Amino acid sequence: MSEQAVKRYVIVGMGVRSAFYYQAIIQKHKDVAKLVGICDTNQTRMNAANDRIEELGGERVPTYKAEDFDKMVQEQKADVVIVTTIDKFHHTYCIRAMELGCDAITEKPMTIDEEKLQAMIDAEKRTGKQIRVLFNYRYAPHHTKVRELIASGLIGDISTVHMDWILDCAHGSDFMRRWHREKANSGGIQMHKSIHHFDLVHFWLGTEPEMVYCLGGLKFYGRENAIKRGEKNLGERYLGNEDAKDDPFAIHIDKNAQLKKLYLEAEHEDGYIRDRNCFADGITIEDTLSMIIKYKDGAVMTYNTYAFAPWEGYRCTFNGTKGRIEINVTEGGYSAGGEAVTKHGLTDLEKNYIQGGVEQTTIVVYPLWDKPYVVDVVKGEGGHGGGDPVLLEDVLVGAKKDDFKRAAFIRDGGNAVLVACGANKSMATGLPVNVQELVKW
Ligand SMILES: NC(=O)c1ccc[n+]([C@@H]2O[C@H](COP(=O)([O-])OP(=O)(O)OC[C@H]3O[C@@H](n4cnc5c(N)ncnc54)[C@H](O)[C@@H]3O)[C@@H](O)[C@H]2O)c1
């Protein structure tokens, strides 16, 4: 491969997620991709990323503080900027990257409100560059399979979708421990997390959202709820907190090597506290949401999520003019520090059912006048049932022809953001929101 064919990447936002990209760039895809710089507000986290890059067999790369982002892009002659900062800054770096002549790849959510979304749409038009959004869920084999089944017309036109996607306590509480807990940073779990679910429905049905109605609230986390239930540990954070010792909601950032290096040892620079008590004050997001979403193709979804469930996964049903599809997925094993979640005390059957990536997926097709049947899903190696390596190859090497059209760009990212904007507006006003009126494409 000639040197010209190697794209030069920089990454901004060097927290835990950035490793997903730099590992793929410096290892599997090094013949087509080169990491040439990293940027963050926090030097300690950039140094930790460089240590990890070395451990993974790469070479340390130049680091740039956030105010030197332009300098990095120009000095390092970047072709592509990967944005893995906290959510509220995705638009800033995507827009600036395009103004400096780069394409941008951003983590979800593409942004967190309609003003920022409009600015991204306008910048893309103005610069002729492109924003790509990484919706990794699309690439998980069971999700791709659902798209294939629906697109084949197997169950006819879809009239209604019912999705019940629940987040377990280990995962749900982690949104309450750090920046996600403030809506101004993340847009809430409807923006930060449910955005995956909203996008999947757009992807599965091949449609766009039109109207959103939402009721939601903070029903479990936060100080007020904790006091009502008589929770014992109400301290500000878990570090140095005696009551955290036997609190199942606590994480111990001084005990986990990754959390210690990335967050505890970096705290002195910016005051980013990774282990806030999920029952401490200051949470401005919801942990429970019930929504109705109407789509352009006439389908309607009822959607429920909550972030304090005993297990993680979802049940989704699609009701069509020729039949019904049901998909049940048990996920789990999320842990803040990435350490293995214990399976101690479970039988082999239970272990298989309860933990370990995409543990259990069942897709059943119910034709109107025929016998129901289970659809096989072939999983691959790697994260999200083998979806992550496919995604990384698609992004870094370039798409082979993809019959499922999984690559997501500004309109896809934006439509998912619009559903979450609609949820936030609807909760504020008590009214349904026509979300396509929020921006001009
Ligand atoms: N698709 C997925 O499965 C998935 C999983 C995890 C995270 N994510 C996304 O990745 C992003 C990062 O999440 P994370 O868990 O790594 O968070 P993190 O808190 O570990 O890292 C965020 C980083 O952004 C940096 N930052 C904050 N403000 C900045 C600024 N103005 N300029 C430059 N850097 C700044 C912080 O210092 C930190 O290093 C989020 O948008 C999140 O939604 C996606």
Side-chain angles (χ1 to χ4, degrees), residues 17 40 45 87 90 93 107-108 136 179 192 263 272:
R17 183 63 178 166
D40 201 295
R45 253 189 303 281
D87 302 347
H90 290 179
Y93 288 109
E107 259 303 339
K108 50 48 57 173
N136 49 341
W179 52 268
H192 179 81
Y263 305 106
Y272 173 173

Side-chain angles (χ1 to χ4, degrees), residues 66-97:
E67 56 274 22
D68 292 327
F69 174 78
D70 287 16
K71 191 171 160 211
M72 168 176 75
V73 170
Q74 286 159 341
E75 249 174 31
Q76 299 303 330
K77 300 185 176 51
D79 297 308
V80 183
V81 174
I82 296 177
V83 183
T84 49
T85 62
I86 67 172
D87 302 347
K88 75 168 170 184
F89 294 120
H90 290 179
H91 72 296
T92 313
Y93 288 109
C94 285
I95 292 172
R96 193 63 193 137

Side-chain angles (χ1 to χ4, degrees), residues 128-148:
K129 291 294 172 183
Q130 191 175 56
I131 300 174
R132 183 163 181 175
V133 191
L134 267 285
F135 278 133
N136 49 341
Y137 280 34
R138 289 182 173 207
Y139 291 79
H142 52 301
H143 293 152
T144 306
K145 180 55 86 180
V146 170
R147 172 165 172 106
E148 187 187 342

